[in-house]
């Protein structure tokens, strides 16, 4: 059953002024006169459980004070967008997680560029690589969403294991070669317990750092390039360390079993949910020669093209990126905020006891890669997952795995094209 939240208060003057040129036909306020009372608007928002918590705790008090005429109606994550379209119950606000393709596939994408101009929204307050990653989805650089947070991959490490095996702690700015060499010192079996030196949590993080496209011209896969060889060789080197291969849950091995020395993951889950007896810290992700860390694109806030309340929806989104809201989220490490303002980034984790002594600014360090978006990346992904698993398991050599993956991807793309032509 939908849960309703009605928000009261006084209207933000800046948004009110900007809204003066909006149109009441789409549910936007008639705000030419600052004293006029905007018409009530109900927005349907389909958010994840985590973002419902964020909106409830950090957004509602501010909306109550500054956007009193808006009622937010939170919809369940299910049914699917396709099912909602069929029933005519389409949300105004959407929260795609790391991928805009599901929204684009059902033609719900809406370019926010004009809204950004109308409301004088300052994009420079957000990490530019996040904006560039979102623009990569549009054929002409459209902005179909704004980034809800940074999905940062940093290198977590277990201090106790480093102390136990007399190895130096990792540092910011290390290369993959450095980290793999360190992992060799920490991978072993003692008293029947397996200790894993390094879990990179998927080849996709490394692919992201190299900004590797799968396809060349005419949607032909190209996996024989030097960078694909570099990626595969690095991946193989990680799993050639005797005893370093495992398919068990990476987070559990690090936090519960506490037998993984280094894990490429994010920090906020441990900052918010500290684990008794785990002495840990983190550094910036290791890099290749280009010095890029993995792309940061995670959850995004977007407006459905079918929405009749686009102006009101954008005002809510804009308020989310206000310094007030971003600062509150940062202090509690509820999310790794997308703000590019140093004064907000410095607040990260200051209200969280578990962040004391931690290298929390690693979440905002290093230049991030821009996400590579390709029309048939969804076809390539499962095939590449299997190819890199085969390399890690020693079932196939690099050249064979990449060549066969290339062949399979090419066939699948042709099948997809045939389907679309019917």
């Amino acid at each position: 059953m939908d849960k309703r939240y009605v928000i009261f208060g006084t209207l933000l003057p800046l948004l009110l002024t900007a809204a003066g040129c909006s149109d009441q036909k789409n549910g936007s306020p008639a705000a030419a006169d600052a004293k006029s009372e905007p018409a009530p608007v109900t927005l349907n928002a389909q958010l994840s459980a985590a973002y419902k918590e964020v909106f409830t705790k950090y957004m509602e008090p501010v909306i109550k004070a500054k956007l009193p005429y808006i009622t937010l109606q939170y919809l369940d994550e299910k049914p699917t967008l396709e099912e909602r379209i069929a029933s005519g119950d389409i949300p105004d606000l959407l929260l795609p997680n790391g991928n805009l393709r599901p929204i684009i596939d059902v033609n719900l994408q809406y370019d926010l560029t004009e809204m950004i101009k109308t409301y004088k929204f300052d994009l420079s307050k957000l990490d530019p690589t996040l904006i560039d990653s979102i623009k990569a989805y549009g054929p002409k650089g459209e902005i179909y969403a704004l980034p809800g947070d940074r999905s940062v991959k940093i290198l977590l490490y277990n201090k106790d294991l480093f102390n136990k095996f007399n190895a130096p702690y990792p540092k910011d700015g290390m290369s993959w070669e450095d980290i793999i060499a360190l992992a060799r010192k920490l991978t072993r079996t003692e008293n029947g317990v397996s200790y894993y030196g390094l879990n990179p949590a998927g080849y996709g993080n490394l692919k992201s750092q190299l900004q590797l496209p799968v396809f060349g011209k005419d949607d032909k896969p190209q996996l024989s390039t030097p960078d694909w060889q570099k990626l595969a060789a690095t991946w193989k080197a990680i799993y050639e360390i005797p005893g370093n291969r495992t398919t068990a849950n990476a987070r559990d091995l690090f936090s519960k079993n506490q037998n993984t020395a280094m894990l490429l993951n994010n920090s906020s889950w441990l900052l918010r949910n500290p684990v008794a007896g785990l002495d840990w810290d983190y550094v910036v992700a290791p890099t290749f020669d280009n010095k890029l860390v993995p792309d940061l694109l995670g959850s995004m806030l977007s407006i459905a093209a079918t929405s009749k309340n686009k102006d009101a929806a954008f005002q809510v989104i804009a308020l989310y990126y206000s310094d007030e809201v971003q600062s509150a989220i940062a202090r509690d490490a509820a999310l790794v905020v997308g703000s590019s303002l140093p004064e907000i980034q410095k607040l990260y984790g200051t209200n969280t006891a578990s962040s004391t002594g931690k290298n929390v600014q690693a979440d905002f360090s290093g230049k991030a890669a821009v996400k590579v978006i390709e029309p048939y990346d969804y076809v390539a992904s499962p095939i590449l997952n299997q190819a890199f698993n085969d390399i890690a398991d020693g079932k196939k050599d690099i050249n064979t795995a990449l060549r066969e993956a290339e062949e399979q991807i090419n066939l699948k793309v042709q099948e997809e094209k045939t389907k679309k032509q019917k």
Side-chain angles (χ1 to χ4, degrees), residues 98-101 104 133-139 144 297 371 373:
N99 185 7
L100 283 168
R101 189 79 64 206
I104 294 171
S133 293
I134 290 170
K135 285 182 176 180
Y137 279 98
Y144 293 140
L297 194 61
K371 192 175 182 70
I373 308 300

Side-chain angles (χ1 to χ4, degrees), residues 178-216:
D178 296 333
I179 292 299
I180 292 169
L182 200 49
R184 293 191 183 101
K185 300 178 181 179
L186 295 149
T187 306
R188 62 186 72 191
T189 300
E190 281 195 3
N191 300 321
V193 178
S194 296
Y195 294 97
Y196 306 102
L198 171 64
N199 190 327
Y203 82 95
N205 292 318
L206 286 71
K207 174 183 179 292
S208 169
Q209 290 179 281
L210 291 168
Q211 299 183 138
L212 270 180
V214 174
F215 300 95

Side-chain angles (χ1 to χ4, degrees), residues 155-201:
L155 190 71
L156 301 158
Y157 65 95
N158 183 321
K159 288 185 173 182
D160 286 335
L161 294 186
F162 278 82
N163 296 337
K164 179 182 179 71
F165 300 128
N166 195 31
Y169 295 157
K171 299 178 181 178
D172 289 336
M174 295 182 77
S175 67
W176 275 109
E177 289 83 359
D178 296 333
I179 292 299
I180 292 169
L182 200 49
R184 293 191 183 101
K185 300 178 181 179
L186 295 149
T187 306
R188 62 186 72 191
T189 300
E190 281 195 3
N191 300 321
V193 178
S194 296
Y195 294 97
Y196 306 102
L198 171 64
N199 190 327

Side-chain angles (χ1 to χ4, degrees), residues 221-356:
Q222 48 174 21
L223 305 181
S224 58
T225 65
D227 276 346
W228 275 100
Q229 289 288 325
K230 180 190 294 185
L231 167 58
T234 303
W235 181 256
K236 182 180 179 181
I238 293 169
Y239 291 110
E240 278 184 333
I241 301 171
N244 194 47
R245 175 65 167 159
T246 177
T247 56
N249 184 278
R251 285 188 174 183
D252 285 348
L253 290 178
F254 186 83
S255 62
K256 295 178 182 178
N257 300 52
Q258 298 183 22
N259 62 346
T260 296
M262 294 179 285
L263 169 65
L264 196 67
N265 212 273
N266 63 54
S267 66
S268 56
W269 64 284
L270 273 179
L271 291 176
R272 292 194 309 268
N273 305 288
V275 177
L278 178 62
D279 189 8
W280 65 283
D281 203 348
Y282 60 101
V283 296
V284 176
T287 60
F288 293 99
D289 293 341
N290 63 11
K291 305 298 182 185
L292 296 178
V293 299
D295 77 80
L296 305 174
L297 194 61
S299 294
M300 295 165 274
L301 291 166
S302 66
I303 300 173
T306 52
S307 174
K308 296 180 180 179
N309 303 299
K310 293 184 178 73
D311 285 272
F314 189 83
Q315 289 175 30
V316 169
I317 291 176
L319 197 58
Y320 175 81
Y321 299 105
S322 67
D323 292 355
E324 179 180 357
V325 172
Q326 291 286 292
S327 295
I329 292 172
R331 289 188 188 97
D332 292 345
L335 299 167
V336 183
V337 291
S339 175
S340 62
L341 300 179
E343 58 268 29
I344 292 178
Q345 294 176 0
K346 287 176 183 176
L347 297 174
Y348 185 63
T350 52
N351 284 354
T352 309
S354 57
S355 67
T356 302

Side-chain angles (χ1 to χ4, degrees), residues 125-146:
K125 293 171 66 173
L126 298 175
D127 188 290
T129 65
L130 284 168
I131 302 301
D132 288 343
S133 293
I134 290 170
K135 285 182 176 180
Y137 279 98
K140 298 179 180 179
E142 292 89 344
I143 302 175
Y144 293 140
L146 289 174

